[in-house]
């Protein structure tokens, strides 16, 4: 069982619409949680970074929320654009040394006209 | 351009062969991480090097090995390749203590 689970697995929306992606995690103790955007065939690019004490973080049309008690995070995209079509990956960063990144399998978002 | 350079971008090879993937980290970054991303799978951690020394290993097969050189570039060696090794291989670099990871564009390996 993956320690970072994302839903939905895939999503198709019309340009201009909003959407919300979900992330549930079980790994702990964690230092921070990040959302990455990965375009097809490219490396992941960081969108937001939240520590366990933060509830929300925005980056333009992207807003991430975090509930450390329920171990849930969401990424809300407003006024979607065609260029938002990508995989969105939730990543939990663990405290301590070694490999700190635990990746979710991502939500594949497609924005259509 | 993220500043992390991976070569080659694409690689097609036959089963049983050996390949070397190369990663040049972002200037000033001492850490290099290697990840494998198979079709429809999340990124799986393989190995972490810091300033030339191995720091952590993930689910890296014994057929795979890596090293980081004095100029901080890293190589991932994959041998006795199997069809299941076909995947995207990413490296990421970071500055120690900042928690900022920068990913390269990956090497797409296809084993036929």
């Amino acid at each position: 069982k993956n320690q970072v689970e994302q839903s939905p697995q895939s999503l198709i929306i019309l340009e201009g619409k909003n959407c919300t992606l979900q992330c549930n995690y079980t790994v702990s103790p964690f230092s921070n949680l990040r959302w990455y955007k990965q375009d097809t065939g490219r490396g992941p690019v960081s969108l937001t970074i939240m520590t366990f004490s933060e509830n929300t973080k925005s980056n333009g049309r992207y807003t991430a929320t975090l509930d450390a008690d329920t171990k849930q995070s969401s990424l809300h995209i407003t006024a979607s654009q065609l260029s938002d079509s990508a995989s969105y990956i939730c990543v939990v960063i663990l405290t301590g040394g070694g490999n700190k990144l635990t990746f979710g399998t991502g939500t594949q978002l497609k924005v259509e006209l | 351009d993220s500043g992390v350079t991976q070569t080659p971008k694409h690689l097609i090879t036959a089963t049983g062969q050996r390949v070397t993937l190369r990663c040049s980290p972002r200037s000033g970054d001492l850490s290099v991480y290697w990840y494998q991303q198979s079709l429809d799978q999340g990124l799986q951690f393989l190995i972490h090097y810091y300033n030339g020394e191995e720091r952590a290993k993930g689910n890296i097969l014994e057929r795979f090995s890596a090293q980081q050189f004095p100029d901080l570039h890293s190589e991932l060696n994959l041998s006795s390749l199997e069809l299941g090794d076909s995947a995207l291989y990413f490296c990421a670099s970071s500055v120690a203590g900042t928690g900022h990871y920068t990913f390269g564009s990956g090497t797409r390996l296809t084993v036929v």
Side-chain angles (χ1 to χ4, degrees), chain A residues 19-70:
Chain A
C19 66
T20 300
L21 314 180
Q22 301 291 341
C23 173
N24 296 333
Y25 61 92
T26 58
V27 290
S28 66
F30 85 96
S31 170
N32 58 79
L33 185 146
R34 307 177 183 199
W35 284 90
Y36 282 83
K37 178 185 179 186
Q38 185 178 19
D39 291 310
T40 301
R42 306 299 301 267
V45 175
S46 181
L47 293 175
T48 63
I49 301 174
M50 289 183 294
T51 66
F52 65 90
S53 61
E54 293 180 293
N55 299 120
T56 187
K57 182 70 69 77
S58 292
N59 177 5
R61 294 180 297 102
Y62 302 103
T63 299
T65 65
L66 174 63
D67 185 334
D69 292 330
T70 61

Side-chain angles (χ1 to χ4, degrees), chain A residues 3 27-32 92-102, chain B residues 101:
Chain A
Q3 295 174 303
V27 290
S28 66
F30 85 96
S31 170
N32 58 79
V92 176
I93 315 297
L94 301 177
T95 57
N99 172 46
K100 299 181 180 180
L101 283 72
T102 303
Chain B
Y101 299 84

